Amino acid sequence: MNLTGGLAWHWLAWRSEARWAPTSLAIENWLLSNAQTSSPSNPENRPSLLLIGASAGWMMSSLWLQKFAKVDTFDIDPRAALLFKWRHGKALQANGTELHCHTRDALQDLPALLSANPKACVFFDNVLGQLRFQNQATDWQQVERRLKQLKVQLKGREWGSLHDRMSGPCTRPIALDSALPIRHPDWHDQHWLTQLDAQSPWLDHLTQDVFPTGVSVQNFAWNFSANYRHWLQAGWVRP
Ligand SMILES: C[S@@+](CC[C@H](N)C(=O)[O-])C[C@H]1O[C@@H](n2cnc3c(N)ncnc32)[C@H](O)[C@@H]1O
């Protein structure tokens, strides 16, 4: 059973598009200005991208994907490929970006994917924070070790990730049109959680050590439902 995607995810994402739009837009802006690959003037030399945990790309930006010459998406969900093509295929075709969608466990197969695509950038799209649900509840340390290991596996590579840092219920209802909380750079985590109206305890997604030290990390609020928020983090690593 897929605990982090599948039909339930597609249904929820489709129904929540309006509620999630401010976060999707903030992610798009961040991708376009921070996850900018060394953009060569010659479009023929654009890099390629391995997009892991792509699903249908419900919160992914076509504009950003257009920066790549070729995009290979990976998801364990067999419905994801068709839905991703439906949502992003036209925009990518219009821009001459090749699109290949694969049904595959890209975390397990990461070493093989990296050696088969030695120059490709990699982006983990809201998948690393889900690892804790795919392991037994008591294997948290193992999950943390696996997540820490990724930066070692990806050494020398241009890569990024967007993932859950924490999530949980809120102390008051979140109006559909309420402004997204924005984290001030000076705030420590507790201050940020207060701004998110976090009602303790929040779930730790075990992703605190995904990025190498020194990588600039962006924080996003995600109004997941009328009374539940996620704290997302994103970073882009250059070799
Ligand atoms: C929270 S959803 C994010 C979906 C997507 N990024 C979006 O914007 O719609 C996480 C996705 O990761 C996929 N996934 C989980 N483990 C995976 C793995 N080992 N390899 C590839 N995909 C995986 C799930 O099937 C699910 O579609």
Side-chain angles (χ1 to χ4, degrees):
M1 191 168 94
N2 184 352
L3 294 174
T4 74
L7 255 193
W9 169 254
H10 298 305
W11 171 243
L12 188 67
W14 177 72
R15 277 193 52 197
S16 311
E17 241 178 330
R19 183 181 291 281
W20 296 357
T23 304
S24 301
L25 183 63
I27 293 168
E28 175 171 80
N29 289 335
W30 177 83
L31 284 169
L32 290 172
S33 45
N34 294 278
Q36 194 66 272
T37 66
S38 16
S39 51
S41 44
N42 180 357
E44 296 294 305
N45 295 335
R46 287 178 300 168
S48 54
L49 174 72
L50 309 180
L51 185 65
I52 297 179
S55 184
W58 290 104
M59 298 181 84
M60 176 40 73
S61 156
S62 290
L63 265 185
W64 183 64
L65 296 177
Q66 287 176 338
K67 306 250 170 241
F68 296 90
K70 178 161 85 88
V71 173
D72 282 276
T73 71
F74 298 90
D75 205 293
I76 49 176
D77 168 10
R79 292 182 190 87
L82 201 64
L83 288 170
F84 193 95
K85 285 181 194 159
W86 164 63
R87 286 183 55 80
H88 296 280
K90 224 171 168 180
L92 297 191
Q93 196 180 21
N95 197 57
T97 297
E98 258 184 64
L99 175 64
H100 302 278
C101 298
H102 312 268
T103 304
R104 185 164 169 183
D105 184 335
L107 294 177
Q108 193 173 298
D109 297 349
L110 191 60
L113 286 175
L114 294 178
S115 16
N117 300 275
K119 293 204 170 136
C121 303
V122 180
F123 192 70
F124 299 94
D125 192 13
N126 201 350
V127 61
L128 298 181
Q130 323 296 318
L131 235 65
R132 63 166 297 160
F133 304 119
Q134 296 170 330
N135 287 261
Q136 287 195 343
T138 47
D139 280 352
W140 294 332
Q141 284 178 330
Q142 195 195 320
V143 172
E144 280 179 321
R145 274 199 298 277
R146 202 167 159 210
L147 288 170
K148 271 187 190 170
Q149 184 60 23
L150 278 175
K151 52 181 171 272
V152 180
Q153 277 183 283
L154 290 155
K155 214 166 178 178
R157 174 89 51 165
E158 202 164 352
W159 69 278
S161 176
L162 167 80
H163 47 247
D164 286 313
R165 174 68 188 82
M166 295 187 95
S167 65
C170 296
T171 50
R172 51 184 174 161
I174 311 163
L176 193 54
D177 58 354
S178 68
L180 268 192
I182 308 270
R183 182 170 178 166
H184 189 278
D186 292 344
W187 289 350
H188 52 69
D189 290 351
Q190 200 51 51
H191 192 157
W192 170 233
L193 287 167
T194 307
Q195 294 304 308
L196 294 173
D197 294 324
Q199 181 173 45
S200 181
W202 263 32
L203 185 75
D204 186 334
H205 288 256
L206 310 176
T207 49
Q208 67 277 13
D209 291 321
V210 165
F211 299 117
T213 317
V215 168
S216 160
V217 173
Q218 179 74 32
N219 297 281
F220 303 97
W222 177 18
N223 296 341
F224 191 76
S225 70
N227 48 24
Y228 199 96
R229 268 197 177 115
H230 287 237
W231 162 18
L232 297 172
Q233 287 194 321
W236 187 259
V237 183
R238 291 183 176 81

